[in-house]
Every structure is written in structure tokens, then in C-alpha cells.
Amino acid sequence: MEQYTTIEGDTVDLIAYNRFGVTHGATEAILRANPSLAAAGTKLPQGMTINIPAFTVKKVNTAARIWS
């Protein structure tokens, strides 16, 4: 688990996107690793140290078949 120190304007979603390239699942993983983080509000205070857990982005095949 790595640690991250928040900067002005940080949100959990933004941190998740910047670190993992996705928010779905990654935001929830960060919140689970930091149980009191949700109480800090939407915009996190600058200088707060939070834990960034290991997270694997699952690839989903989104290709659609138009013809069979």
C-alpha cells in the first residue's frame, strides 16, 4: 500500500482516476482503505495523507457485433 498526500482540489474520484485511469471500483477501494476519508467531504483538505491500495483494472470487452 502506498501513501499519498492530497493537494488543493483533490477528490477521491480524481485521485483514483489519476492513479489507476478509472474511477469505478478504484474509488471504492481507496475509501475502504481509509475508513474515515468519506467524513472529510467531497473536496479533501490539502496535506492529508491517505493510503492508496493495490488495485487491478479489469479489462472489459465492449465491442459490439452488428452482424452475425
Side-chain angles (χ1 to χ4, degrees):
M1 192 166 310
E2 82 180 72
Q3 290 192 324
Y4 173 81
T5 303
T6 58
I7 59 173
E8 185 177 342
D10 267 345
T11 64
V12 178
D13 287 343
L14 181 61
I15 294 167
Y17 185 77
N18 288 340
R19 177 65 178 85
F20 302 110
V22 297
T23 57
H24 182 72
T27 299
E28 292 82 355
I30 292 171
L31 289 170
R32 278 193 302 274
N34 300 276
S36 62
L37 191 57
T42 304
K43 293 233 177 180
L44 301 174
Q46 183 175 348
M48 179 181 229
T49 302
I50 63 172
N51 294 315
I52 305 294
F55 179 77
T56 303
V57 177
K58 295 180 183 176
K59 301 280 183 183
V60 177
N61 185 359
T62 58
R65 285 198 147 173
I66 299 173
W67 299 279
S68 11

